[in-house]
Amino acid sequence: MRHTRRAFTALGASALAATLLTAPATAAERAPEQAVYGELARNGTFTTDTEDWWGSPGSSVEAADGALRATVEPAAPDQVGQWHHTVVGQNHIRLRPGATYTLSFDARASRTTKIKSTVQLGTRPYPSSLDNELDLTTTTQRFSWTFTSSLDSDDGHIDFQVGGQDVRTDIILDNVSLTTSTAREGFYTDPDSTAMKWVRNTEEDPRATKIKAAIGDHTTVKWFGNWDADGNAATGIRTEVSNYVGAAAAQGRLPVIVAYNIPGRDCGGASSGGSADADRYKEWIDAFAQGIEGRPAVVILEPDAVAQSSDPGCISGEALEARFDMLWYANQHLQAQGTFVQTYLDGGNATWTLGQDLSGTDGNGGIGLKRMAYLLNRSGVSMARGVSLGVSNFHSTEISNQYGSRLAAQLKADFGVDTRWVVDTARNGNGAYVTPGVPSSGHVGFCNPAGRKLGVTSRAGTGGAEYLLWIKNPGDSDGDSAQCPAGSPSAGSFSPDLADALIDGR
């Protein structure tokens, strides 16, 4: 069913069949600018015209009130109910086998009727990856399906089979969208997460099936640091990031990756390490960014690095200025990868910034909103999409959203920066730990505290957050320092005991 964009007049059945098979395409139509990721449908909102959309014989297509109106003529008596005899659609869609896509649109009709919606090829035998029959009414409805493509073509179609009407009918379409490698198709699951490695290497532990189903199948964030080829950035970290992002792109899923390699990482705490110096860090972050290759990715940039820069016992003087410079450089080079790369510079957590009573005033154990906004601005947040909040923490999503809203308002008021935020929900199902019997104690347990629980899996956000993400891999230890429960594994090591406790909330 290959068509040009022009609207056809009604033809007889034999002429119609010939037209559907032989209608020529102009040079411009044979080679349009073609998207591989993100939004694939062109001009799906029909604001001013129907450019890039065509109607086959038996229909006329026009823009009307910001939508596409296809007026479908009555079918011959022997063709009533045969929708494929009249089609409205768009050609030249890149479809990749094994990749996940989401088609969505608004539709109504001048009377109650049926049509078909397909994503298919336009040549015999017209194979499709999506084929759905719709019941339209005179009230606009939203339709949406996520599917995996079985097709490999530069000339896939979004087709609406609207024919077979027994009376003249108007079909109204709007907000037509076909996406891949976005949050709508879901986040890529790391097949080599610490949880999955433990499951694969475990033969007899009765918790293996439980941990795989509850954690391994939902671990959607991969961390990269100096354990990933810090000494050979050009061929090491670039390749590792490229392989991971490429595997996600092949599935049409959105990868989430963490850059965690700032010099002086974690102020020498349980997760200490990082690049040796600023020059090495810039080489590393260059290679990290280059590994993405402009493909879709969410990047969480340097958890703790901004908040810890407010602690003079951790970093000060020239080292502090160097940290701001490194974070600015990282934001700049990630931004240069293009619009498919969404960077969230870490903004700490509500307790760290606002103090244990979350009042937001200085002097109660927190950094203070104005100070955090200043630090983020110095670190180049204006070049990022937003900030990440509560990474490796336990605050409820509600608390983190309250903090995100206030922080965004402060950045706007003080620096004119518009920002979004994402929340780490990996372990916040029961909220933050408080001292038993002392509810006013606030959040006091940060290292493998008891009684925590898995939060909602990675998804589009609520309450202001753009995304809710499992940034901290559940089951990975916070560390084995004196502040941690006895027997805690070293930071980043997977513990089936911790994983099992998070699943049960104990």
Side-chain angles (χ1 to χ4, degrees), residues 70 72 112 117 122 132 158 167 202 242 267 314-315 348 357 365 372 384 387 397-398:
V72 183
T112 299
S117 170
N132 284 306
I158 302 171
V167 299
T202 300
S242 180
C267 290
C314 172
I315 188 169
D357 65 4
M372 178 57 83
V387 295
T397 302
E398 179 183 8

Side-chain angles (χ1 to χ4, degrees), residues 465-476:
E466 186 159 35
Y467 301 131
L468 306 178
L469 301 170
W470 274 18
I471 300 176
K472 171 72 174 185
N473 291 176
D476 284 4

Side-chain angles (χ1 to χ4, degrees), residues 282-303:
K282 289 181 178 180
E283 291 175 2
W284 184 90
I285 201 69
D286 264 345
F288 177 95
Q290 291 164 10
I292 299 172
E293 298 174 16
R295 294 169 294 187
V298 171
V299 179
I300 308 301
L301 182 59
E302 296 299 345

